[in-house]
Amino acid sequence: MCGRMANTLPVDAMARLFKAVPGNDVPDGERFNICPTQSLPVCVSGEGQRQLRAMRWGFIPHWYKTPTDGPLLINARSETVAEKPAFREAIRSRRCLIPADGFYEWHREGEAKLPFYVSRKDGAPMVFGGLWQDWEKGGELLTTCAIVTLPAGPTLAPIHHREPLVLEQADWAKWLGEEGHGAATLMQPRPEGILQAWRVGQEVNSNRASGPGLREPLADRA
């Protein structure tokens, strides 16, 4: 599962990271609590060039009459993504890379939902494997995306049963389709030791909360 994320990378840094041409509408600035339906920076590849584009987080199937005509599809399960009518065409031909500093996850203990922040141990940007689609009805055009998720590995399993697909740089070209077929082989749990997670404060439970303190370890607070 991945339902909130943080991204403090400037647009030019993301463009350099992916060797992509940035669009004018790519969201910039430090964002510590990105929520579904908000705009994400997304890297796609086509006609021999990578582009950094803005997309709405929340995939809209082509049969939706309005953006809210059905469930909000922010994630796509790796086990069924090739079969689900909403995703099966996109996973074949419209895969993308979604950068972030890290993401938030919640662990249930009884009635309580305890928030955690997850990042890479090496401090590098986290890059999710995603898929995208244009949706157009009645003159309204939205470019939308979702993040592929996997069964949680050992680091995340004590917190939640799902985790996003995190891709290494060596795999980006294959996921984008630049190296032909074989992207399905990348939808596997990451090796242990790549990710780290720590408890954060309850402030992030509000989708209106912001600021770097949201991902400060709870144990470090006085």
Side-chain angles (χ1 to χ4, degrees):
M1 184 66 180
C2 181
R4 303 271 191 87
M5 69 178 80
N7 187 349
T8 62
L9 292 169
V11 169
D12 59 349
M14 290 186 285
R16 289 196 303 271
L17 179 69
F18 295 123
K19 298 181 175 60
V21 177
N24 294 328
D25 59 348
V26 178
D28 202 358
E30 296 184 338
R31 304 166 73 199
F32 295 96
N33 191 11
I34 303 171
C35 303
T37 74
Q38 293 182 348
S39 181
L40 294 178
V42 176
C43 178
V44 299
S45 181
E47 299 181 355
Q49 185 179 69
R50 292 180 182 178
Q51 295 180 330
L52 190 65
R53 302 177 56 187
M55 296 190 187
R56 175 193 187 267
W57 186 13
F59 191 94
I60 306 179
H62 64 83
W63 61 82
Y64 278 26
K65 295 179 181 178
T66 69
T68 58
D69 199 31
L72 181 62
L73 305 177
I74 62 172
N75 298 141
R77 293 164 85 77
S78 62
E79 302 95 318
T80 58
V81 68
E83 305 164 3
K84 292 287 187 181
F87 300 129
R88 61 191 178 198
E89 183 179 344
I91 196 62
R92 287 196 298 267
S93 59
R94 293 190 301 278
R95 296 184 298 273
C96 60
L97 303 172
I98 301 172
D101 295 1
F103 66 96
Y104 301 94
E105 190 53 85
W106 280 261
H107 174 64
R108 285 190 177 273
E109 284 192 5
E111 295 299 317
K113 293 179 66 176
L114 308 179
F116 286 75
Y117 183 71
V118 185
S119 67
R120 291 185 61 110
K121 281 186 177 180
D122 60 10
M126 190 176 283
V127 176
F128 305 129
L131 43 85
W132 67 278
Q133 174 162 284
D134 285 332
W135 176 88
E136 186 173 11
K137 287 286 188 301
E140 182 180 11
L141 173 63
L142 294 172
T143 302
T144 69
C145 65
I147 296 170
V148 175
T149 67
L150 312 165
T155 299
L156 272 294
I159 301 171
H160 196 272
H161 66 285
R162 305 291 298 179
E163 66 178 56
L165 171 60
V166 177
L167 295 172
E168 300 301 308
Q169 187 168 356
D171 297 326
W172 295 351
K174 180 174 286 188
W175 184 257
L176 290 174
E178 296 169 348
E179 296 180 352
H181 301 294
T185 64
L186 302 176
M187 291 190 287
Q188 303 293 332
R190 300 301 91 188
E192 180 61 5
I194 290 178
L195 303 181
Q196 60 183 351
W198 59 84
R199 272 288 312 278
V200 296
Q202 301 277 359
E203 297 89 344
V204 74
N205 290 354
S206 169
N207 59 15
R208 294 184 295 274
S210 189
L214 294 180
R215 56 186 185 182
E216 178 184 344
L218 195 61
D220 292 349
R221 299 189 180 190

